[in-house]
Amino acid sequence: ARRESLESYVQRLERIEAIAGAKKGVEKVFAMQAGRELRVMVKPDVVDDVEAHVLAREVAKQIEETADVYAFLAHWTGLSPRP
């Protein structure tokens, strides 16, 4: 039973990361806190601040609908070159 729990846990985290990773402009995704928190790095030349906000809402809604996760926090980090 414990092995099944571990496998389902890993599969859930992979599903969550895949949902965010499939979006345009997303560079890296890290599911944390047992899948309750999602760190997403986006490409700043593709996703601006307004698009990141919309993207966060879309990803949150899709995760809640498909990944059996009902409450989580998404942190969005834009990587941009500094002069």
Side-chain angles (χ1 to χ4, degrees):
R2 197 177 288 236
R3 183 159 178 85
E4 265 183 58
S5 297
L6 178 62
E7 288 176 7
S8 64
Y9 170 78
V10 171
Q11 288 174 353
R12 183 168 49 94
L13 293 181
E14 288 173 346
R15 282 195 311 265
I16 291 169
E17 289 178 345
I19 289 169
K23 300 294 183 184
K24 177 184 167 193
V26 172
E27 189 170 334
K28 294 181 183 180
V29 181
F30 304 98
M32 306 170 91
Q33 299 283 330
R36 292 183 304 269
E37 183 177 324
L38 190 65
R39 300 266 174 158
V40 179
M41 294 180 169
V42 296
K43 299 175 186 172
D45 56 333
V46 178
V47 179
D48 63 16
D49 291 343
V50 174
E51 290 171 333
H53 184 73
V54 172
L55 187 62
R57 288 184 182 267
E58 289 175 358
V59 168
K61 184 177 180 186
Q62 189 174 358
I63 288 172
E64 288 175 356
E65 291 173 352
T66 61
D68 297 328
V69 177
Y70 300 104
F72 76 93
L73 179 61
H75 291 277
W76 295 83
T77 304
L79 299 178
S80 59
R82 299 283 180 205

